[in-house]
Amino acid sequence: MEIVMIGVVLVSALLLGWLGTKIGLSMVVGQLVAGVIVGPALLGWVPNSATIHEIGEIGVLLLMFNAGLETDAQELKNNFKSATSVAVMGVLVPLIVFPIAALCFGDRLQVAIFWGIVFAATSISITIAVLSEQGKLKTLVGSVVLGAAVIDDVLALLLVSTYALLLGGSGIGVSALLPLVLFALGLLTRKWSRSGQLLHYSQLIGDWTLFPIFFGSIGLAVNLDHFGAELPMLIVLTILAVLTKYYGASFGARLTGIQPAASRAIGAGMVSRGEMALVVVQIGLQANILTADEFASFVVVIIVSTIIAPIMLRPLLKRVPVNN
């Protein structure tokens, strides 16, 4: 039965990913939506099972490894100042805005603070998929976004670990750091003479199996059973999830002299939260910072903002000059 469910996720993600590109959206958007459609939120054909989640985690690791294989370490080094500025501003703005907004909606103080920590994170894997799809991974925009996403994921993990420990819970586990480790391993493997062949075959495997399952599994996490009464709050917080990261990261890019078109693309590239925010919010649940219903609200906002991100990014990438 598990094999059938995995097959349903894979086939639906491949089909809707293809459809997404045909109607002018990103393949990633189609695959995310596929999970929402076949999962508990709509048709209910596939539950949010541990097996599918574990296969998706392998997909994350392969995606990060491939990103390392494609990334020029020298370019990352050259753009470190810009990446740091983008990361810091992209973390600070959500950290300030979200707690204020959540308190206005009547959330508990510890939950309000946690909103800021969760949405300080960026999903590097979602952004990598869109940048790779558009052939922009090796550009200035790609290098800055990659560097900034790694930095602000580290910052977000440190924040949530410290916060959970202060409240008497537990910090981050090894699994939360593995994507960053695999990215670094890919950077090192790039020096190997046959790294190009390795990338070709690992990309084929990922594109046709693990990546669609990973993106589809994110959509499976959406559950609409308990959020009807909280809809106005969730809409506002979703808008804030997009705007705080977009404007914070864009401003950070402009501070270091990056041109407006590229800065806007960088801002959009940092909007996606995806698996990293889900890791952070899972830590919050395990540390008893969140109740099960509060956890569900976080997941809805994470998923919706993750779907919006590639829709924003694709057209903005097309407006960036070729040398950027």
Side-chain angles (χ1 to χ4, degrees):
M1 193 64 182
E2 288 271 20
I3 294 175
V4 174
M5 291 189 294
I6 292 166
V8 170
V9 173
L10 177 59
V11 172
S12 61
L14 287 171
L15 286 174
L16 285 180
W18 171 81
L19 181 61
T21 60
K22 289 299 179 183
I23 62 176
L25 298 174
S26 168
M27 181 183 297
V28 175
V29 173
Q31 293 174 347
L32 287 166
V33 171
V36 176
I37 291 173
V38 302
L42 292 177
L43 297 179
W45 292 348
V46 182
N48 186 19
S49 75
T51 302
I52 293 174
H53 176 72
E54 287 165 6
I55 295 172
E57 287 299 304
I58 297 171
V60 173
L61 298 180
L62 182 61
L63 190 62
M64 296 299 292
F65 179 71
N66 285 359
L69 284 175
E70 288 189 78
T71 301
D72 187 334
Q74 186 59 45
E75 280 297 308
L76 282 180
K77 184 177 178 181
N78 292 343
N79 294 297
F80 181 75
K81 180 182 176 183
S82 295
T84 303
S85 178
V86 168
V88 170
M89 292 306 300
V91 167
L92 279 178
V93 176
L95 275 178
I96 294 168
V97 172
F98 266 98
I100 295 171
L103 286 172
C104 289
F105 278 108
D107 265 326
R108 294 176 292 135
L109 179 60
Q110 72 176 39
V111 175
I113 293 171
F114 200 71
W115 276 106
I117 295 173
V118 169
F119 288 95
T122 292
S123 170
I124 188 172
S125 59
I126 304 287
T127 301
I128 284 170
V130 179
L131 288 169
S132 181
E133 186 183 321
Q134 296 296 304
K136 298 288 187 180
L137 204 53
K138 299 178 182 178
T139 63
L140 169 67
V141 170
S143 294
V144 172
V145 168
L146 280 173
V150 169
I151 292 167
D152 87 354
D153 280 355
V154 171
L155 291 174
L157 288 171
L158 288 174
L159 283 168
V160 71
S161 182
T162 303
Y163 191 56
L165 288 170
L166 286 173
L167 292 178
S170 57
I172 59 175
V174 173
S175 61
L177 299 175
L178 275 178
L180 300 178
V181 173
L182 266 290
F183 178 71
L185 181 60
L187 281 175
L188 293 174
T189 308
R190 179 182 168 86
K191 298 177 181 179
W192 183 39
S193 59
R194 295 187 179 180
S195 63
Q197 288 177 294
L198 176 61
L199 175 62
H200 172 73
Y201 289 113
S202 63
Q203 193 71 38
L204 273 178
I205 293 169
D207 285 343
W208 289 97
T209 56
L210 294 173
F211 300 163
I213 291 173
F214 161 59
F215 294 122
S217 71
I218 295 178
L220 293 179
V222 177
N223 192 321
L224 307 179
D225 290 344
H226 305 291
F227 87 125
E230 298 179 345
L231 186 58
M233 180 189 78
L234 297 182
I235 290 173
V236 171
L237 294 178
T238 300
I239 292 170
L240 288 178
V242 173
L243 296 184
T244 53
K245 187 65 81 169
Y246 174 72
Y247 284 109
S250 298
F251 181 65
R254 293 291 290 134
L255 284 176
T256 59
I258 295 177
Q259 296 302 308
S263 294
R264 287 191 288 270
I266 289 168
M270 298 295 289
V271 165
S272 178
R273 299 324 200 282
E275 83 290 341
M276 184 53 68
L278 291 171
V279 166
V280 174
V281 80
Q282 185 69 40
I283 292 169
L285 182 65
Q286 292 170 349
N288 296 317
I289 297 170
L290 304 175
T291 65
D293 286 347
E294 288 165 343
F295 173 82
S297 298
F298 273 84
V299 169
V300 169
V301 176
I302 290 167
I303 299 299
V304 176
S305 62
T306 299
I307 291 172
I308 291 170
I311 296 173
M312 291 176 61
L313 179 57
R314 198 175 187 211
L316 288 173
L317 284 173
K318 292 180 179 178
R319 298 175 193 171
V320 178
V322 177
N323 61 343
N324 283 244

